[in-house]
Amino acid sequence: MRKRFIAGNWKMNNGPSATVTFMDKFATALKSSNEIISNINGGKMNVAVFAPSISLCSAVKARGDAPVIVGGENVHWEKSGAFTGEISVPMLKEVGCTHVIIGHSERRHIFRETDEELHKKILAALDGGLTPVLCTGELLEEREAGKAFDVIKNQLLADLKDLDPQTVADKIIIAYEPVWAIGTGKTASKEDAEEVCKFIRKLLGDTFGEGTAAKVLILYGGSVKPENTADILSQTDIDGVLVGGASLKPDSFLAIAKAAVR
Ligand code: PGA
Protein backbone atom coordinates (compact mmCIF):
# COMPACT_ATOMS: atom_id res chain seq x y z
CA MET A 1 0.00 0.00 0.00
CA ARG A 2 1.37 3.42 -0.95
CA LYS A 3 1.79 6.08 1.74
CA ARG A 4 -0.56 9.05 1.81
CA PHE A 5 1.10 12.45 1.43
CA ILE A 6 -0.87 15.43 2.72
CA ALA A 7 0.82 18.68 1.78
CA GLY A 8 0.07 22.37 2.27
CA ASN A 9 1.44 24.88 -0.23
CA TRP A 10 1.36 28.30 1.41
CA LYS A 11 2.49 30.22 -1.69
CA MET A 12 3.23 33.88 -0.79
CA ASN A 13 1.31 33.70 2.51
CA ASN A 14 2.38 33.32 6.14
CA GLY A 15 5.48 35.34 6.99
CA PRO A 16 7.65 34.30 9.96
CA SER A 17 5.31 35.40 12.75
CA ALA A 18 2.16 34.01 11.10
CA THR A 19 4.13 30.78 10.59
CA VAL A 20 4.92 30.52 14.31
CA THR A 21 1.25 31.16 15.18
CA PHE A 22 0.17 28.48 12.68
CA MET A 23 2.77 25.90 13.76
CA ASP A 24 2.22 26.35 17.48
CA LYS A 25 -1.43 25.52 17.02
CA PHE A 26 -1.06 22.93 14.27
CA ALA A 27 1.78 20.98 15.92
CA THR A 28 -0.09 20.79 19.23
CA ALA A 29 -3.32 19.67 17.57
CA LEU A 30 -1.49 17.13 15.39
CA LYS A 31 0.30 15.59 18.36
CA SER A 32 -2.95 15.21 20.24
CA SER A 33 -4.68 13.45 17.35
CA ASN A 34 -3.99 9.77 18.08
CA GLU A 35 -5.33 8.67 14.70
CA ILE A 36 -3.04 10.98 12.70
CA ILE A 37 -0.01 10.21 14.86
CA SER A 38 -0.54 6.46 14.62
CA ASN A 39 -0.90 6.76 10.82
CA ILE A 40 2.32 8.76 10.60
CA ASN A 41 4.25 6.49 12.98
CA GLY A 42 2.87 3.43 11.24
CA GLY A 43 4.29 4.65 7.90
CA LYS A 44 0.84 5.15 6.38
CA MET A 45 0.92 8.92 5.97
CA ASN A 46 3.11 12.01 5.90
CA VAL A 47 2.04 15.58 6.57
CA ALA A 48 4.03 18.43 5.02
CA VAL A 49 4.02 22.21 4.87
CA PHE A 50 5.68 24.07 1.98
CA ALA A 51 6.38 27.60 3.18
CA PRO A 52 7.92 30.81 1.78
CA SER A 53 11.73 30.78 2.10
CA ILE A 54 11.71 33.52 4.69
CA SER A 55 9.43 31.46 6.95
CA LEU A 56 11.23 28.12 6.72
CA CYS A 57 13.47 28.61 9.78
CA SER A 58 10.47 29.64 11.86
CA ALA A 59 8.47 26.66 10.59
CA VAL A 60 11.19 24.15 11.48
CA LYS A 61 11.76 25.71 14.91
CA ALA A 62 8.07 26.02 15.76
CA ARG A 63 7.12 22.48 14.73
CA GLY A 64 9.33 21.23 17.60
CA ASP A 65 9.07 17.44 17.77
CA ALA A 66 5.80 17.24 15.80
CA PRO A 67 6.11 14.99 12.71
CA VAL A 68 5.56 17.71 10.12
CA ILE A 69 7.77 17.77 7.02
CA VAL A 70 8.87 21.27 6.04
CA GLY A 71 9.73 22.04 2.43
CA GLY A 72 10.57 24.90 0.08
CA GLU A 73 8.25 26.15 -2.66
CA ASN A 74 10.97 26.58 -5.25
CA VAL A 75 14.75 26.28 -5.61
CA HIS A 76 17.55 27.23 -8.00
CA TRP A 77 19.64 24.55 -9.69
CA GLU A 78 23.02 26.07 -8.81
CA LYS A 79 24.47 25.58 -5.34
CA SER A 80 25.58 29.21 -4.93
CA GLY A 81 26.64 32.22 -6.96
CA ALA A 82 25.43 35.38 -8.63
CA PHE A 83 21.68 34.62 -8.77
CA THR A 84 20.09 37.54 -6.94
CA GLY A 85 16.90 36.60 -5.17
CA GLU A 86 17.31 32.84 -5.52
CA ILE A 87 17.86 30.11 -2.93
CA SER A 88 19.76 26.84 -3.36
CA VAL A 89 19.33 23.20 -2.37
CA PRO A 90 22.09 23.37 0.30
CA MET A 91 20.35 26.42 1.80
CA LEU A 92 17.02 24.56 2.03
CA LYS A 93 18.80 21.57 3.57
CA GLU A 94 20.63 23.76 6.07
CA VAL A 95 17.36 25.08 7.53
CA GLY A 96 15.88 21.59 7.84
CA CYS A 97 13.91 21.10 4.62
CA THR A 98 13.66 17.60 3.16
CA HIS A 99 11.32 18.35 0.25
CA VAL A 100 10.81 21.05 -2.39
CA ILE A 101 8.00 21.86 -4.81
CA ILE A 102 9.23 22.12 -8.40
CA GLY A 103 7.25 23.38 -11.39
CA HIS A 104 4.12 24.64 -9.66
CA SER A 105 1.82 26.09 -12.33
CA GLU A 106 2.38 29.58 -10.91
CA ARG A 107 6.10 29.13 -11.52
CA ARG A 108 5.46 27.72 -15.01
CA HIS A 109 2.94 30.36 -16.11
CA ILE A 110 3.63 33.56 -14.13
CA PHE A 111 7.41 33.19 -13.91
CA ARG A 112 7.77 31.43 -17.26
CA GLU A 113 9.88 28.55 -15.97
CA THR A 114 10.62 26.08 -18.74
CA ASP A 115 10.77 22.29 -18.63
CA GLU A 116 14.49 22.57 -19.30
CA GLU A 117 14.92 24.65 -16.15
CA LEU A 118 12.63 22.39 -14.14
CA HIS A 119 14.67 19.38 -15.20
CA LYS A 120 17.82 21.08 -13.88
CA LYS A 121 16.05 21.86 -10.61
CA ILE A 122 14.98 18.24 -10.21
CA LEU A 123 18.53 17.00 -10.80
CA ALA A 124 19.89 19.54 -8.30
CA ALA A 125 17.30 18.61 -5.66
CA LEU A 126 17.99 14.88 -6.05
CA ASP A 127 21.73 15.44 -6.04
CA GLY A 128 21.48 17.42 -2.81
CA GLY A 129 19.13 14.93 -1.12
CA LEU A 130 15.83 16.80 -1.35
CA THR A 131 12.64 15.08 -2.51
CA PRO A 132 11.07 17.03 -5.38
CA VAL A 133 7.29 17.38 -5.54
CA LEU A 134 6.96 17.88 -9.27
CA CYS A 135 3.74 19.62 -10.33
CA THR A 136 2.07 19.09 -13.67
CA GLY A 137 -1.26 20.20 -15.08
CA GLU A 138 -3.15 21.68 -18.00
CA LEU A 139 -4.70 25.10 -18.56
CA LEU A 140 -8.47 25.36 -19.12
CA GLU A 141 -8.02 26.09 -22.82
CA GLU A 142 -5.73 23.08 -23.17
CA ARG A 143 -8.36 20.85 -21.51
CA GLU A 144 -11.12 22.28 -23.70
CA ALA A 145 -9.02 21.68 -26.81
CA GLY A 146 -8.63 18.02 -25.79
CA LYS A 147 -4.90 18.48 -25.16
CA ALA A 148 -4.70 17.82 -21.41
CA PHE A 149 -3.00 14.42 -21.71
CA ASP A 150 -0.48 15.68 -24.27
CA VAL A 151 0.45 18.67 -22.11
CA ILE A 152 0.99 16.49 -19.05
CA LYS A 153 2.93 13.89 -21.00
CA ASN A 154 5.22 16.53 -22.52
CA GLN A 155 5.85 18.18 -19.14
CA LEU A 156 6.60 14.93 -17.30
CA LEU A 157 8.79 13.36 -19.97
CA ALA A 158 10.87 16.55 -20.27
CA ASP A 159 11.11 17.15 -16.51
CA LEU A 160 12.00 13.54 -15.64
CA LYS A 161 14.27 12.99 -18.66
CA ASP A 162 16.98 10.34 -18.20
CA LEU A 163 16.23 9.64 -14.54
CA ASP A 164 16.67 6.06 -13.45
CA PRO A 165 13.51 4.10 -12.53
CA GLN A 166 14.54 3.53 -8.90
CA THR A 167 15.01 7.26 -8.35
CA VAL A 168 11.59 8.06 -9.80
CA ALA A 169 9.99 5.34 -7.68
CA ASP A 170 11.57 6.30 -4.37
CA LYS A 171 12.57 9.94 -4.57
CA ILE A 172 10.02 11.82 -6.67
CA ILE A 173 6.46 12.80 -5.84
CA ILE A 174 4.16 13.93 -8.66
CA ALA A 175 1.31 16.38 -8.10
CA TYR A 176 -1.42 16.68 -10.73
CA GLU A 177 -2.87 20.17 -10.48
CA PRO A 178 -5.26 21.24 -13.26
CA VAL A 179 -4.59 24.96 -13.51
CA TRP A 180 -8.31 25.75 -13.88
CA ALA A 181 -8.96 24.19 -10.45
CA ILE A 182 -6.31 26.14 -8.53
CA GLY A 183 -7.70 28.81 -6.22
CA THR A 184 -10.95 28.89 -8.21
CA GLY A 185 -13.14 26.78 -5.94
CA LYS A 186 -13.63 24.44 -8.95
CA THR A 187 -12.33 21.06 -7.86
CA ALA A 188 -11.88 18.52 -10.62
CA SER A 189 -14.48 15.78 -10.15
CA LYS A 190 -12.96 12.74 -8.50
CA GLU A 191 -13.44 10.86 -11.76
CA ASP A 192 -11.60 13.53 -13.79
CA ALA A 193 -8.77 13.68 -11.23
CA GLU A 194 -8.49 9.87 -11.20
CA GLU A 195 -8.53 9.68 -14.99
CA VAL A 196 -5.47 11.93 -15.22
CA CYS A 197 -3.65 10.37 -12.25
CA LYS A 198 -4.20 6.93 -13.79
CA PHE A 199 -2.86 8.28 -17.10
CA ILE A 200 0.23 9.61 -15.26
CA ARG A 201 0.83 6.24 -13.58
CA LYS A 202 0.53 4.47 -16.93
CA LEU A 203 2.91 6.96 -18.55
CA LEU A 204 5.44 6.34 -15.76
CA GLY A 205 4.95 2.60 -16.22
CA ASP A 206 5.58 2.83 -19.98
CA THR A 207 8.63 5.03 -19.42
CA PHE A 208 10.24 3.67 -16.27
CA GLY A 209 8.63 0.25 -15.82
CA GLU A 210 5.69 -1.17 -13.91
CA GLY A 211 7.63 -1.42 -10.65
CA THR A 212 8.22 2.33 -10.64
CA ALA A 213 4.63 3.12 -11.58
CA ALA A 214 3.32 0.99 -8.72
CA LYS A 215 5.47 2.81 -6.16
CA VAL A 216 5.45 6.48 -7.13
CA LEU A 217 3.21 8.81 -5.12
CA ILE A 218 0.75 10.88 -7.17
CA LEU A 219 -1.11 13.74 -5.50
CA TYR A 220 -4.08 15.80 -6.65
CA GLY A 221 -4.21 19.57 -6.06
CA GLY A 222 -6.78 22.25 -6.89
CA SER A 223 -9.41 23.58 -4.46
CA VAL A 224 -8.96 20.69 -2.02
CA LYS A 225 -10.78 21.30 1.26
CA PRO A 226 -11.81 19.22 4.29
CA GLU A 227 -15.19 18.38 2.70
CA ASN A 228 -13.81 16.87 -0.53
CA THR A 229 -10.60 15.24 0.73
CA ALA A 230 -11.99 11.78 1.52
CA ASP A 231 -13.74 11.62 -1.83
CA ILE A 232 -10.58 12.52 -3.75
CA LEU A 233 -8.47 10.07 -1.73
CA SER A 234 -10.96 7.27 -2.39
CA GLN A 235 -9.55 7.04 -5.92
CA THR A 236 -7.12 4.21 -6.74
CA ASP A 237 -4.34 6.30 -8.27
CA ILE A 238 -4.48 9.33 -5.96
CA ASP A 239 -2.12 9.02 -2.99
CA GLY A 240 -2.43 12.45 -1.45
CA VAL A 241 -3.33 16.08 -1.84
CA LEU A 242 -1.48 19.36 -2.40
CA VAL A 243 -3.55 22.04 -0.73
CA GLY A 244 -3.27 25.80 -1.20
CA GLY A 245 -5.91 28.02 0.41
CA ALA A 246 -7.24 25.41 2.85
CA SER A 247 -3.77 24.77 4.27
CA LEU A 248 -3.39 28.32 5.59
CA LYS A 249 -5.53 27.77 8.69
CA PRO A 250 -4.48 25.12 11.23
CA ASP A 251 -8.08 23.92 11.72
CA SER A 252 -8.85 23.27 8.07
CA PHE A 253 -5.43 21.72 7.32
CA LEU A 254 -5.81 19.45 10.33
CA ALA A 255 -9.31 18.46 9.16
CA ILE A 256 -7.79 17.51 5.78
CA ALA A 257 -5.13 15.36 7.50
CA LYS A 258 -7.88 13.71 9.59
CA ALA A 259 -9.90 12.96 6.47
CA ALA A 260 -6.83 11.16 5.08
CA VAL A 261 -6.46 8.79 8.02
CA ARG A 262 -7.03 5.09 7.31
P1 PGA B 1 -5.69 25.71 -3.99
O1 PGA B 1 -4.18 25.68 -4.50
O2 PGA B 1 -5.89 24.54 -3.05
O3 PGA B 1 -5.84 27.04 -3.29
O4 PGA B 1 -6.57 25.58 -5.19
C1 PGA B 1 -3.52 24.45 -4.78
C2 PGA B 1 -2.13 24.69 -5.26
O5 PGA B 1 -1.89 25.63 -6.04
O6 PGA B 1 -1.18 23.95 -4.88
Side-chain angles (χ1 to χ4, degrees):
M1 200 195 303
R2 289 183 298 267
K3 231 181 202 188
R4 286 202 162 149
F5 195 86
I6 308 305
N9 169 19
W10 286 355
K11 311 190 179 189
M12 198 169 70
N13 297 292
N14 285 344
S17 37
T19 294
V20 172
T21 308
F22 176 101
M23 265 307 176
D24 281 348
K25 203 168 164 198
F26 185 71
T28 308
L30 191 85
K31 285 198 287 183
S32 54
S33 167
N34 289 338
E35 37 178 6
I36 298 181
I37 292 298
S38 71
N39 262 240
I40 295 177
N41 290 343
K44 291 186 184 161
M45 170 158 91
N46 277 328
V47 174
V49 165
F50 292 84
S53 331
I54 198 145
S55 303
L56 290 170
C57 282
S58 310
V60 169
K61 203 162 165 210
R63 85 177 158 191
D65 60 357
V68 183
I69 288 169
V70 174
E73 298 177 8
N74 182 29
V75 74
H76 195 269
W77 57 84
E78 293 291 348
K79 291 191 175 76
S80 63
F83 301 99
T84 303
E86 295 290 324
I87 55 163
S88 68
V89 171
M91 291 172 186
L92 288 177
K93 292 271 291 186
E94 186 181 336
V95 298
C97 290
T98 50
H99 292 60
V100 62
I101 295 177
I102 291 179
H104 188 276
S105 64
E106 286 146 22
R107 302 295 323 169
R108 289 179 188 267
H109 297 294
I110 303 175
F111 300 100
R112 305 264 165 228
E113 290 187 6
T114 63
D115 285 309
E116 201 182 318
E117 290 166 334
L118 300 177
H119 181 240
K120 288 199 268 185
K121 291 180 181 211
I122 286 173
L123 294 182
L126 291 169
D127 186 49
L130 287 178
T131 299
V133 177
L134 171 64
C135 299
T136 182
E138 80 285 4
L139 297 164
L140 183 59
E141 56 265 36
E142 291 167 337
R143 172 160 280 256
E144 286 174 346
K147 291 189 183 145
F149 293 120
D150 283 345
V151 168
I152 289 158
K153 181 175 176 183
N154 290 340
Q155 288 178 351
L156 290 179
L157 293 186
D159 301 342
L160 300 175
K161 189 166 53 121
D162 298 335
L163 292 184
D164 71 87
Q166 201 64 46
T167 303
V168 177
D170 298 336
K171 306 221 166 87
I172 302 252
I173 296 174
I174 308 284
Y176 167 56
E177 298 206 308
V179 182
W180 47 271
I182 294 178
T184 58
K186 283 189 206 155
T187 324
S189 70
K190 63 177 192 291
E191 292 81 12
D192 284 344
E194 169 63 10
E195 187 187 23
V196 178
C197 292
K198 192 183 274 312
F199 167 80
I200 292 173
R201 203 174 294 286
K202 167 136 191 356
L203 175 71
L204 296 175
D206 294 345
T207 315
F208 299 102
E210 289 311 317
T212 298
K215 275 179 102 178
V216 71
L217 296 188
I218 303 178
L219 321 182
Y220 166 79
S223 297
V224 173
K225 33 190 188 283
E227 305 79 59
N228 60 21
T229 301
D231 222 19
I232 292 166
L233 290 175
S234 69
Q235 301 303 296
T236 320
D237 289 290
I238 303 180
D239 305 310
V241 284
L242 183 55
V243 189
S247 72
L248 293 173
K249 295 273 174 292
D251 293 349
S252 64
F253 194 43
L254 193 80
I256 288 172
K258 280 198 173 145
V261 161
R262 59 185 171 193

